[in-house]
Amino acid sequence: MNTIATYRRVFFTFVRNSLVRDMTFRGNFIIDTISSLCWAMLNVIFYQQIFRFTGSLGDKTGWHRYEFYAFFSTGLIINALVQMFFMTNIDEMTDMIRTGDLDFILLKPIDTQFLVSLRRIEWSSLANLLVGIGFLVYALTQLAHVPGVLQMLLFLIYMACGVAIYYSLMVALGASTVWMGRNLTLYDFWFYITTFSRYPMEIYSGPLGYPLRALFTFVIPILIVINVPARMIVWPLDSRHWPLAGFALLAAIGSVAASRWLFQTALGSYRSASS
Amino acid sequence: MLHFIILRISIAERLVYRVDFALGTLMRFLPMVTQIFLWQAVFQGMAGSGKSVAGYSFHQMIAYYLLTMVGRAFSSMPGLAGGIARDIRDGTIKKYLLQPVDMLSFLLMGRLAHKLVYYAVAIAPFALVFWLCRGFFGGWPDAVTLAAFAASLVMGFLLGYFLEATLGMIGFWFLEVNSLLFIYMLVSFFFSGQMFPPELMPSFWPALMKAIPLQYLAYFPAAVFLHKVTGAALARGLIVEALWVVFFYMSARTLFHYGVRRYSAFGG
């Protein structure tokens, strides 16, 4: 059997096992679903109130109510995907590094990063994913501009790039546990860092805003995670967006490569804590 | 004397993690940076002059968010309700039944120590951030407002403590309360005014949000400082807050009283 087929089979086994596990603790699954939906709803309420008072975010930025709703939905979808596939796994990885349980993973005849990244699928994030898609469709139907097939395709490609960048950042944070122990949990770090990517990059303006925008675009490229796919779909394609779009592709590939390298290096420094 | 000893031990315990505290506090201000830029964009997008959102100017809005962080530094009780529920579930709670220590007072001293150490370490990052953001504040308020602000913060601490303790006591009746606590956390984030000032909501919502005790955890102290609540309304607000503290003190005591009667500890 070839390698890709093996990995595919292992992945679908994870998918199935996780579903069986989630359905075993059904009450917990329902509460998890409700709480993540509540959080999304609270945000919608907040943005609804904001747009009662203002026409757009920033002056002449083009981020009016429904453009921003599409942006927010894009973020919801990307975050739901990251939470569904990677969040719990990478958080568990940091625990495994601290407790020495990573030993058992290292013994398995499969790529370690693949195994620690995808062992568990959080099915409860599916609700947020569906709400994100639903809200995106609603926002797009309210826009004057109707996105074409090419735009949809680019949107999907750049969403994948966004997920890849988030994933890489998460792996980098998780792998650094090997050297640093930890002060805050991965969830805390994640929340504080990704908070910068939750809004259109145009809001970062002025003498402090521009350096911040540059930092989170070019050094830690989290600002492009939602911004690039969102602008592929809310406005007609425009050559002004190509440089950023080109950079987003490079950033996604670079991030995955860098996190892979960091993960391998971290494994080299891993000293089993248990023995 | 006993309470003083508990306080001293708890302070020593907390000081072990002082670097974590300082780092954690600084990180907590990061979302504030985004909030400043978001609100700047909101106000830029508005037409006309003399812009205000629900009675808040741009500067007041940022000052509001900064002040709710101070309010939450007093009223937030991370892990309190979950900890009580866990102690009930795994049987640790029986130590309070066997030893001559009252659980609510013991945990209150622990929290007080936690807060004192927290302020001692967090005062530096807080002072730095407030100094950097001093332009958002229109100077110091008068002495009466400051005194009312301080009173609302202290009562916010007590309210937060007894409210969370009451929630934790539910563990006597339900085995799994973590999910419930998470939903409470979301609800309180919204209704306490930490997410945004209640005035932003339409129709009956602001009145509803201000009728619920959760507003004292974040909104009320900030509103006092910003002169949004003055005169008779201020006095009334402080009295109602004090009554809520008494209410939750009584409810925590009552639930504990009835809870231990149906509690059964197994194992060694």
Side-chain angles (χ1 to χ4, degrees):
Chain A
M1 195 187 296
N2 68 39
T3 322
I4 293 178
T6 309
Y7 277 82
R8 193 185 306 143
R9 246 185 49 172
V10 172
F11 174 69
F12 282 111
T13 307
F14 291 153
V15 171
R16 206 174 43 243
N17 285 351
S18 306
L19 187 63
V20 170
R21 189 180 184 283
D22 277 347
M23 288 303 111
T24 312
F25 305 105
R26 226 166 294 169
N28 206 41
F29 172 79
I30 292 168
I31 298 259
D32 276 354
T33 305
I34 293 173
S35 49
S36 61
L37 282 179
C38 278
W39 179 240
M41 209 178 67
L42 284 183
N43 276 298
V44 171
I45 293 173
F46 178 45
Y47 300 135
Q48 261 184 340
Q49 304 320 311
I50 281 184
F51 283 103
R52 278 176 56 223
F53 296 96
T54 189
S56 71
L57 290 184
D59 190 21
K60 298 188 186 78
T61 54
W63 291 110
H64 303 288
R65 181 189 289 262
Y66 294 107
E67 283 84 354
F68 179 73
Y69 283 0
F71 179 97
F72 168 69
S73 318
T74 307
L76 210 56
I77 297 170
I78 291 177
N79 273 304
L81 287 171
V82 168
Q83 262 162 24
M84 195 166 171
F85 291 103
F86 308 118
M87 191 78 195
T88 315
N89 293 310
I90 306 296
D91 188 50
E92 269 178 18
M93 180 183 93
T94 60
D95 280 339
M96 286 193 285
I97 290 171
R98 284 187 308 115
T99 55
D101 284 348
L102 195 67
D103 299 6
F104 302 107
I105 303 283
L106 292 170
L107 291 172
K108 306 249 163 59
I110 196 164
D111 182 80
T112 307
Q113 190 173 346
F114 171 82
L115 194 55
V116 295
S117 301
L118 289 163
R119 284 191 327 151
R120 241 183 85 183
I121 311 297
E122 281 291 340
W123 282 98
S124 57
S125 295
L126 190 66
N128 260 1
L129 183 68
L130 296 177
V131 168
I133 294 170
F135 201 50
L136 177 69
V137 171
Y138 163 72
L140 291 178
T141 55
Q142 302 299 314
L143 293 176
H145 142 82
V146 181
V149 178
L150 178 64
Q151 281 189 284
M152 290 291 193
L153 197 65
L154 285 170
F155 175 71
L156 291 176
I157 292 171
Y158 280 105
M159 279 230 297
C161 288
V163 172
I165 292 171
Y166 264 180
Y167 166 72
S168 308
L169 179 68
M170 205 179 268
V171 168
L173 284 174
S176 62
T177 313
V178 167
W179 297 290
M180 299 201 304
R182 63 174 173 180
N183 294 311
L184 294 157
T185 65
L186 182 76
Y187 282 98
D188 286 333
F189 256 124
W190 183 249
F191 174 74
Y192 290 130
I193 293 180
T194 55
T195 185
F196 286 98
S197 63
R198 281 165 54 183
Y199 298 109
M201 53 170 60
E202 284 83 354
I203 73 164
Y204 299 103
S205 61
L208 269 175
Y210 289 119
L212 213 57
R213 195 197 291 193
L215 171 73
F216 288 117
T217 304
F218 300 110
V219 185
I220 309 170
I222 50 168
L223 255 184
I224 56 184
V225 168
I226 304 170
N227 270 279
V228 177
R231 64 191 63 210
M232 286 295 147
I233 203 162
V234 296
W235 296 312
L237 290 178
D238 187 327
S239 57
R240 279 183 305 137
H241 297 143
W242 293 138
L244 191 65
F247 174 73
L249 276 181
L250 288 178
I253 296 167
S255 302
V256 172
S259 67
R260 175 79 182 167
W261 173 81
L262 195 73
F263 183 81
Q264 301 284 7
T265 315
L267 281 190
S269 303
Y270 170 69
R271 302 272 176 271
S272 173
S274 59
S275 50
Chain B
M1 188 60 194
L2 178 66
H3 285 120
F4 178 70
I5 294 171
I6 297 170
L7 184 67
R8 220 181 49 199
I9 294 170
S10 302
I11 288 180
E13 210 173 60
R14 300 288 176 183
L15 273 172
V16 176
Y17 302 105
R18 54 192 175 272
V19 180
D20 263 19
F21 267 141
L23 250 177
T25 311
L26 261 186
M27 292 283 277
R28 228 163 268 160
F29 282 107
L30 283 182
M32 196 61 226
V33 178
T34 317
Q35 283 287 348
I36 294 177
F37 283 107
L38 172 69
W39 282 104
Q40 179 182 289
V42 169
F43 278 86
Q44 279 171 355
M46 290 165 74
S49 57
K51 300 168 181 175
S52 91
V53 169
Y56 288 79
S57 66
F58 170 55
H59 281 195
Q60 277 181 328
M61 190 62 87
I62 302 306
Y64 173 83
Y65 278 102
L66 285 165
L67 287 165
T68 56
M69 292 194 75
V70 179
R72 290 304 285 153
F74 278 79
S75 64
S76 75
M77 301 285 152
L80 177 65
I84 294 176
R86 196 182 49 242
D87 282 357
I88 294 170
R89 201 174 52 237
D90 65 18
T92 319
I93 202 147
K94 61 177 167 275
K95 76 178 177 202
Y96 300 110
L97 305 177
L98 296 172
Q99 295 165 2
V101 178
D102 168 55
M103 186 186 81
L104 273 177
S105 315
F106 180 81
L107 291 179
L108 181 64
M109 286 298 126
R111 282 288 149 175
L112 191 61
H114 171 95
K115 292 290 180 192
L116 288 177
V117 174
Y118 177 76
Y119 303 138
V121 181
I123 187 99
F126 259 92
L128 175 72
V129 171
F130 273 76
W131 182 77
L132 287 173
C133 296
R134 63 193 180 284
F136 295 115
F137 292 87
W140 286 96
D142 56 280
V144 176
T145 309
L146 267 182
F149 177 62
S152 70
L153 289 177
V154 173
M155 284 198 283
F157 165 75
L158 292 171
L159 182 66
Y161 176 78
F162 288 116
L163 202 157
E164 284 247 351
T166 302
L167 282 174
M169 300 297 174
I170 296 173
F172 280 116
W173 285 268
F174 296 98
L175 213 55
E176 165 54 43
V177 294
N178 281 335
S179 315
L180 189 78
L181 291 179
F182 189 75
I183 291 176
Y184 160 75
M185 196 195 79
L186 287 179
V187 169
S188 104
F189 187 63
F190 177 76
F191 280 98
S192 68
Q194 203 184 347
M195 196 171 190
F196 55 79
E199 290 91 344
L200 249 70
M201 292 293 284
S203 70
F204 64 90
W205 282 97
L208 175 73
M209 289 166 86
K210 288 177 193 175
I212 295 175
L214 292 173
Q215 63 139 334
Y216 293 105
L217 303 180
Y219 167 76
F220 188 70
V224 168
F225 195 97
L226 293 173
H227 290 117
K228 298 274 174 197
V229 188
T230 51
L234 174 59
R236 200 169 47 239
L238 287 172
I239 292 168
V240 174
E241 182 173 12
L243 290 175
W244 278 119
V245 172
V246 174
F247 173 81
F248 281 106
Y249 168 78
M250 307 261 281
S251 62
R253 281 256 173 255
T254 312
L255 286 181
F256 184 73
H257 175 80
Y258 287 106
V260 289
R261 262 153 193 69
R262 71 186 306 281
Y263 169 72
S264 26
F266 300 100

